[in-house]
Amino acid sequence: MIAITELAGIGRLPARAGRKAGGAGLARVRDRIEIRGAGTSVDTLPFGVGDATAGAENELLTIVNGPSDQVDLAREVVESNYFKNLSRRAAAGDASKSLVRDIEDFLADNRENAWENSWVYFPADLMTPYARDVFDGDLYADKRERSIRRADAGRFEIQRNGMRCIRIPVSYLLKLALADAISVGRETHAAIRSMGERLMRHFLNDNTSPETFSFHTVGSSVEPGLGRALADETLRRFLLVQLLTMYANDKFELRSRGQEALVCLAPHTPTRQKRLNELVADSFYRDLFMSPCLSGWDQGQAKHNYMILCHEVLSRSRLNTMAKLRESGILARNLITLPTVSNTSLANNGTHISLGSRRLTALMAAGAGEFTAEDEKRVGDLVVKIVEHFLPLFVGTYSAAPYRLDFRDFHPELVLGFLPHELDFTHLRMLWRRWKGKADLKCFGVPLTPFGPRQLDRFLGTALGLRGDWIPDQRLIDYLVAPLSTDHSPALDGTLGNDSRLKRDLAEMGVFDPRMSFYSLYRQRRFEQMGFCGFEGRHYSQFGSIARDMAPATDLQRLITALAYRYVLSGTVTHADIPDTPEVESERRQIFFGAAIGIPTFFVHGRTPNRFLQRILSRTGRTRDSHRYPGRTRVYHLEYRRALTTVLEEDAAELIEALGQAETIRDLRHRIESPDKDSALASLLAGIRKEGGASSPLKVNAETFNAATERYYRGPQLKAFTGEALDLFDRDLRELDARVAGGDDEGAVALRSVLNGETPASFLATVRETVLEGKASQSVVVKLVGLMLLVIRHHCKSEGRA
């Protein structure tokens, strides 16, 4: 067992640990931001009392329901030159006829008529003049100059069924629907229209999926409810998305033309999209699914080209994992299943929660030179390293992405995803061995992995009763969330430009591209780039409930970040305590990835140079020396999480009291001690099991379970999220009505203009069920959109953002 006997607590360290390299610089930073008593004052701590702001970005899944002869995706495949050329070559014997049949079967075998990430089309004359102006403006190559149109503008205006139609992804449809809804019918009140125009830029058209980001940041003036305030803002944004989807289905006649749009939260690439990706060329896949970036970017086509670059690089990067698997000894034979040359990871969806510090932002904005970009980077990198040790607390606890794998799926070159680029060989081998031990792969007590030929693997799995496995968060494995540093280019050593140097190294290895933004689990948001000082948590997949899971997760992220600053600015933890080597980086991240896979234990070197991890492990129970890996200590994930919670309770006690986060810690304890009942994963599994009619994931095959997962996200959970948002909307309307009752200011006049005397809450009660079912009429939705914009306007003003 690892033990640091001289340490009674993580906050009391040997004097040498806090007075090493950078100590003078940190002392200057500490004095500048008025930290008193060696970092013990919670009143002046970054991200502490009265200092934190928060915002979120949500990636969404779009679905178009309808028959194949009406939905754009199916028509695009059938009518494409790619498919026509393939058919001709197959007829001439120059290409496999089975590939043509597979594509035809894909199009025909869609019993639910659900087409994920399809585009839509509708007659151009259905838009209002204002919406048409917005659309025309977004077709410029540079929206700031508005001189020439994008070279691909012809993609979005087509002739179909003898009509001039607009053809766009659903992600951009949301923005057009908002533009149309605030300009349809009689004159919209100026307060409503101006808010709608302002919010249009918050509907991004990026990657494959739509993205929305906070209409306003929430501040710590709402203490102790920063997390709840952000969850509420997210729910309002989510409800507006649902209203705009209903509006588009009616106003643009999508539903009547056999292409009903639906937008939901779902964490991983849909199974059918993965299947189509296996059947078509990578360039054609990009034509079908890569967003044209019409909204949110001044130079949309340049951004679209960047997304093409990302797809090409990630696809190549995934192929290059096989060389590392061979070098690590995991691939021991020549027979492998070659991953497709086109990767679908950009279609994974998550939530990014960003925190900002008012105090640090003000210091950087002052430009006095006493708190510089170098200081920001030096401290920020160390904070990131500290926070990474705590991230296993979030996996499955507050968000998850459960996924089923059959025996025939268990090729390491497939299921290990991007992990060969994120862990060193030692930790990768140990993780793979533990995963095989956890999964149902054993024949006579020996783990057996598939051989390659699909028919043989299917037969073996069935004959031997090998069921495979399920994992708590597949999204974290299926995406390049955090590339490993190299020996000569650490990502978090506190020096400016370190990420650029690492990207160049990774580019030479075929892992990344210098032109891409660097990926990380907890990303520093630097003042020079973002206009504020803060951090973005990118480790969230699917919440079981936005109110119940996102709110405490935000509060916990804020508490850990504030504690990390306290460690750094008090000199308790330095960069020397967490060395910047690939081995040390991999050692802490293996814990995070192991939690995502659901393996019960991990192994740490008994003499790890990571002193911060040693201190955590000194609080961890049930550790023992490993028999299989001499010199290493076996640690249970559950015990590690318990130790992290103890660290928070003891080292952040003053912060917990000052921030009013005692309930957050109690809730965390419940989630850790009763994961089968209180965690986000438990909530998601309960809904999926009910949808799929199985008592556990392993009772059904992967296809059945994963299909049930997708139905749950776009069915019962979508309805549950909408219900949460409507409950909040009802409270918002009652508060807004009481605030402006009898008044004659702009807000009161605008509210009366929407409903002509009817109270907002009673109106919502009469239409609630139609909204829950996604069937509200255009006239009802226009009123609801107006009311929602007034509610958002009120909260923007409360946050000083109006």
Side-chain angles (χ1 to χ4, degrees), residues 163-327:
M163 296 180 295
R164 191 167 69 89
C165 292
I166 304 299
R167 177 181 174 267
I168 52 176
V170 176
S171 50
Y172 184 62
L173 177 73
L174 297 174
K175 177 181 177 180
L176 276 192
L178 178 55
D180 202 276
I182 61 174
S183 58
V184 70
R186 60 187 177 83
E187 187 71 20
T188 304
H189 192 279
I192 296 173
R193 179 152 179 165
S194 63
M195 181 54 60
E197 291 173 347
R198 173 185 159 184
L199 297 189
M200 278 191 283
R201 66 176 181 266
H202 291 257
F203 291 82
L204 294 184
N205 214 204
D206 194 5
N207 286 348
T208 297
S209 309
E211 299 178 11
T212 65
F213 64 96
S214 290
F215 294 148
H216 60 84
T217 55
V218 299
S220 47
S221 57
V222 295
E223 304 277 20
L226 181 69
R228 185 53 199 252
L230 184 60
D232 286 352
E233 190 280 329
T234 300
L235 283 169
R236 295 184 190 105
R237 195 159 24 94
F238 180 80
L239 181 56
L240 183 58
V241 166
Q242 300 308 311
L243 295 174
L244 295 176
T245 305
M246 284 181 269
Y247 180 86
N249 281 330
D250 193 348
K251 176 62 164 38
F252 299 149
E253 301 179 358
L254 298 179
R255 186 182 293 114
S256 64
R257 296 177 185 275
Q259 40 174 348
E260 181 178 24
L262 182 148
V263 182
C264 65
L265 289 163
H268 28 61
T269 307
T271 302
R272 281 181 53 81
Q273 186 169 328
K274 288 184 178 180
R275 175 61 178 153
L276 182 59
N277 181 63
E278 295 172 352
L279 299 175
V280 301
D282 58 337
S283 58
F284 187 47
Y285 174 85
R286 289 192 289 272
D287 286 343
L288 293 173
F289 294 112
M290 286 294 98
S291 169
C293 305
L294 288 167
S295 178
W297 319 98
D298 288 329
Q299 296 177 317
Q301 192 167 15
K303 180 66 175 180
H304 174 61
N305 292 334
Y306 171 79
M307 296 318 307
I308 290 175
L309 168 71
C310 291
H311 182 259
E312 292 173 339
V313 170
L314 291 176
S315 297
R316 182 191 67 212
S317 181
R318 181 64 185 275
L319 285 175
N320 287 339
T321 61
M322 287 189 295
K324 291 188 174 182
L325 288 171
R326 177 174 287 280
E327 291 171 17

Side-chain angles (χ1 to χ4, degrees), residues 447-698:
L448 179 69
T449 53
F451 293 93
R454 285 177 180 262
Q455 296 298 329
L456 175 60
D457 291 339
R458 185 178 290 109
F459 170 76
L460 283 176
T462 303
L464 299 176
L466 306 178
R467 297 177 297 178
D469 196 18
W470 71 275
I471 62 176
D473 201 323
Q474 188 253 2
R475 170 186 163 270
L476 297 175
I477 307 301
D478 193 42
Y479 193 71
L480 186 58
V481 296
L484 190 66
S485 294
T486 64
D487 290 315
H488 297 289
S489 299
L492 298 169
D493 64 351
T495 61
L496 284 175
N498 53 11
D499 55 344
S500 297
R501 293 188 290 273
L502 175 56
K503 285 193 290 185
R504 288 194 294 269
D505 280 7
L506 295 176
E508 294 173 357
M509 300 162 59
V511 176
F512 214 67
D513 190 283
R515 292 167 289 180
M516 293 169 60
S517 297
F518 192 71
Y519 299 157
S520 59
L521 289 167
Y522 202 58
R523 180 164 66 173
Q524 185 176 11
R525 309 304 269 165
R526 294 176 52 223
F527 180 83
E528 181 181 27
Q529 298 167 332
M530 304 300 300
F532 72 94
C533 299
F535 300 88
E536 180 186 49
R538 302 168 61 87
H539 49 278
Y540 300 104
S541 294
Q542 186 83 348
F543 298 114
S545 160
I546 294 175
R548 190 175 61 250
D549 294 327
M550 184 179 181
T554 303
D555 287 332
L556 182 62
Q557 178 181 326
R558 186 258 189 102
L559 177 64
I560 292 170
T561 306
L563 176 61
Y565 262 91
R566 192 175 193 185
Y567 285 150
V568 174
L569 296 176
S570 66
T572 299
V573 181
T574 70
H575 277 287
D577 289 312
I578 311 173
D580 292 288
T581 67
E583 294 78 15
V584 169
E585 194 173 84
S586 176
E587 187 174 53
R588 67 176 181 268
R589 290 179 182 171
Q590 62 151 340
I591 310 171
F592 176 82
F593 291 120
I597 294 171
I599 56 179
T601 58
F602 61 93
F603 299 89
V604 175
H605 200 288
R607 298 193 178 189
T608 175
N610 185 343
R611 292 195 291 268
F612 186 72
L613 180 58
Q614 284 184 353
R615 297 168 205 148
I616 297 171
L617 294 178
S618 71
R619 312 260 185 106
T620 305
R622 293 203 300 157
T623 62
R624 68 165 175 81
D625 293 338
S626 172
H627 303 304
R628 180 172 293 275
Y629 304 110
R632 296 185 182 273
T633 300
R634 189 187 71 172
V635 185
Y636 281 94
H637 277 277
L638 174 60
E639 297 297 337
Y640 181 78
R641 293 187 188 197
R642 286 171 172 165
L644 289 175
T645 307
T646 299
V647 167
L648 289 173
E649 289 173 329
E650 296 179 1
D651 292 1
E654 292 178 88
L655 274 169
I656 292 169
E657 181 179 0
L659 298 176
Q661 295 305 324
E663 180 56 35
T664 299
I665 298 298
R666 282 193 293 269
D667 175 67
L668 174 61
R669 280 284 186 192
H670 285 306
R671 291 171 185 262
I672 291 173
E673 300 301 333
S674 304
D676 294 336
K677 182 180 69 172
D678 295 330
S679 69
L681 177 61
S683 174
L684 293 173
L685 285 177
I688 295 166
R689 287 196 300 264
K690 184 176 180 181
E691 183 67 28
S695 59
S696 74
L698 291 180

Side-chain angles (χ1 to χ4, degrees), residues 61-65 70-76 114-121 167-171 208 259 261 273 288-289:
L61 173 67
T62 68
I63 301 158
V64 178
N65 294 313
Q70 296 295 324
V71 173
D72 181 79
L73 177 61
R75 295 189 62 161
E76 278 295 299
W115 306 86
E116 291 89 355
N117 291 312
S118 174
W119 291 24
V120 295
Y121 59 92
R167 177 181 174 267
I168 52 176
V170 176
S171 50
T208 297
Q259 40 174 348
Q273 186 169 328
L288 293 173
F289 294 112

Side-chain angles (χ1 to χ4, degrees), residues 764-796:
L764 178 61
T766 62
V767 301
R768 179 186 174 100
E769 287 306 313
T770 60
V771 175
L772 275 175
E773 296 299 327
K775 304 296 184 183
S777 66
Q778 174 189 331
S779 59
V780 167
V781 172
V782 168
K783 292 180 180 180
L784 291 172
V785 168
L787 293 173
M788 177 57 75
L789 293 177
L790 289 176
V791 166
I792 294 169
R793 176 178 179 269
H794 164 68
H795 285 282
C796 286

